[in-house]
Amino acid sequence: MKKVGIDTIVVDIYESPIGPLCVKASDAGIVEVIFPHEGVHEEKRGQSPIAAMCISQLVEYFEGKRSTFNVPLDLRGTPFQLSVWRTLLLIPCGETWSYGKVARQIGREKAVRAVGGANHNNPVSIIVPCHRVIGSDGSLTGYGGGLWRKEWLLEHEKNIFKR
């Protein structure tokens, strides 16, 4: 059961090979991993044990030593968004799924556009691998961090982790 009240959110910045990542953690888990467009001001800056674990796992991922993550997540969204984000966690590293496949996986075959919206609003990039979702024709579609990052991540995974 979730605690009612105000969470303490701690923010740390990880300088990844594809730009800075803003890692936000609550006491329960990772709340966000995003590419910041502007400076981070509102939350307490620092590092929590969960943020440190997340950054350590991200470093291993970028070094090609980790293909899965086991950092605790504190995902916050609608029930539909949560179902999409949990499904994204099932996409194997080095593979891609279409938005249609994700929709079928959650039992909502006609909700392809809604899946796209949930994918777009994923607050935990890389760890919840929204970059692995592509168009049904194989095209790379939008990515909050920029299409060049999506392409980089997919190439990184294909070259290092694809079996």
Side-chain angles (χ1 to χ4, degrees), residues 22-49:
C22 179
V23 177
K24 296 182 182 183
S26 71
D27 293 336
I30 297 300
V31 176
E32 286 186 359
V33 175
I34 61 171
F35 296 96
H37 298 290
E38 296 180 19
V40 178
H41 308 289
E42 69 280 3
E43 292 94 354
K44 178 182 172 188
R45 292 290 301 262
Q47 193 173 69
S48 73

Side-chain angles (χ1 to χ4, degrees), residues 28-120:
I30 297 300
V31 176
E32 286 186 359
V33 175
I34 61 171
F35 296 96
H37 298 290
E38 296 180 19
V40 178
H41 308 289
E42 69 280 3
E43 292 94 354
K44 178 182 172 188
R45 292 290 301 262
Q47 193 173 69
S48 73
I50 293 173
M53 177 191 298
C54 180
I55 290 172
S56 174
Q57 290 184 17
L58 285 166
V59 168
E60 290 172 350
Y61 167 83
F62 282 110
E63 290 176 345
K65 298 175 183 172
R66 173 178 290 277
S67 62
T68 61
F69 298 89
N70 60 10
V71 65
L73 300 176
D74 185 5
L75 297 174
R76 300 170 182 197
T78 67
F80 181 82
Q81 288 173 324
L82 293 171
S83 71
V84 171
W85 299 337
R86 287 185 188 114
T87 300
L88 297 181
L89 293 168
L90 303 175
I91 305 173
C93 189
E95 292 184 23
T96 56
W97 287 7
S98 70
Y99 292 96
K101 181 171 182 173
V102 174
R104 287 188 298 279
Q105 288 289 317
I106 64 170
R108 304 275 306 271
E109 186 175 336
K110 295 184 180 186
V112 175
R113 283 182 176 257
V115 165
N119 203 55
H120 173 76

